[in-house]
Amino acid sequence: MLGDDAELTTSVRAAQSGDETAFRTVYRAVHPRLLGYVRTLVGDHDAEDVASEAWLQIARDLERFDGDADRFRGWAARIARNRALDHIRMRGRRPVIGGDEAELTGKPAESDTAGEAMEALATGSTLSLIARLPQDQAEAVVLRVVMGLDAKSAAETLGKRPGAVRTAAHRGLKRLAELLGGDPESGGGLDALPPQREPRDRAVTSASVTHTRARTQKDM
C-alpha cells in the first residue's frame, strides 16, 4: 500500500472511532477530487452544495464503512454520485450523457498521447477540458484518474461493467490528448485543478461535518 493510501486508511479507521482530527484529515485528502467529480455531474454552480450533502451522509454512515483507502474513495464517490443524481432529479434536469454504452464494446486502440493525458491528469491537472467529453467518458476519466479508483471500483460506482469503464476512460483520455494538441488559444489546456472557492453559507466545511458527526453519534 502506498504511503498516502496507508495514511488515509489509518485516518479513516480513526475517524470511525470518533477522532475528529482524523476525519478532517480524511476530508482534506478526499474532498478536492470528490468535488471535481461532482462538478462533472451537476456543473460548477451546484457542485459545492451537492458535495456538502455527500459529506454529511459520509459522516453519518462512516461507522458502517468497511475497507481501506481505495474502498473508501469508491464508497465516497458512490455517495456523491447518488446525491448528484438526486439533485438533478429534484431540479427536473438530466445529466448530459454523450454516446451509448453499446459503443463501448470495441477494443480500445493503443495511444501514447492518451497515456500522456493520463499522466498529466494524475499529477494534479485540470478538469476544465473534461467538460467537453461525453458524460460517460467524463465520469470514467474522473473516477479512474482524478479519484484514483481502479476499474472495478469505478464500475461499481457507475453501475457498469469494468471493461466498459476502462474503454470509456481510454476514449476520454484519447480525446483529451487530442484537445491538448489543439489550438492553444482555445482556453482548454490541462491547467491545475480548479481552486476551491470559499464555501457558501450552505456549503459544508470539514469542521461543520465533524461537528455534525459528533452530534449524530450523541443522538444514536
Side-chain angles (χ1 to χ4, degrees), residues 14-220:
Q16 288 180 299
S17 300
D19 186 330
E20 294 189 10
T21 299
F23 189 88
R24 285 193 291 271
T25 298
V26 172
Y27 179 89
R28 287 193 297 268
V30 176
H31 176 68
R33 292 166 187 256
L34 193 70
L35 180 61
Y37 176 45
V38 172
R39 281 187 173 124
T40 68
L41 296 169
V42 301
D44 188 69
H45 180 72
D46 296 327
E48 288 181 356
D49 286 344
V50 172
S52 297
E53 294 170 6
W55 277 106
L56 288 173
Q57 182 176 344
I58 290 168
R60 186 187 70 215
D61 296 345
L62 185 59
E63 290 179 348
R64 296 198 290 270
F65 169 75
D66 182 26
D68 59 9
D70 284 335
R71 290 185 63 84
F72 179 80
R73 283 190 289 263
W75 180 70
R78 286 194 295 276
I79 289 174
R81 188 172 197 266
N82 289 337
R83 296 288 69 75
L85 295 180
D86 286 346
H87 179 83
I88 290 167
R89 283 190 289 267
M90 184 177 67
R91 293 287 189 269
R93 297 182 288 107
R94 292 186 179 184
V96 181
I97 307 239
D100 186 302
E101 188 173 349
E103 298 176 358
L104 302 180
T105 57
K107 181 179 179 180
E110 295 185 4
S111 169
D112 291 339
T113 52
E116 292 169 4
M118 177 178 283
E119 182 179 355
L121 283 167
T123 54
S125 299
T126 193
L127 299 171
S128 62
L129 287 183
I130 294 178
R132 302 189 191 184
L133 300 176
Q135 188 70 26
D136 57 339
Q137 294 179 16
E139 285 197 72
V141 168
V142 175
L143 288 173
R144 294 295 315 277
V145 182
V146 180
M147 286 294 296
L149 303 185
D150 60 23
K152 181 179 178 181
S153 296
E156 290 173 354
T157 299
L158 298 174
K160 295 184 178 181
R161 302 184 307 277
V165 173
R166 277 192 293 267
T167 305
H170 179 91
R171 291 183 175 179
L173 288 165
K174 184 176 180 181
R175 177 56 182 153
L176 288 175
E178 292 170 355
L179 292 172
L180 275 169
D183 180 6
E185 302 300 323
S186 63
L190 289 175
D191 328 304
L193 277 167
Q196 281 185 242
R197 297 174 297 175
E198 290 299 318
R200 299 194 299 274
D201 291 342
R202 285 161 45 196
V204 175
T205 63
S206 60
S208 63
V209 170
T210 53
H211 175 73
T212 300
R213 174 167 166 73
R215 184 178 60 199
T216 302
Q217 289 176 331
K218 292 176 182 176
D219 293 340
M220 291 178 64

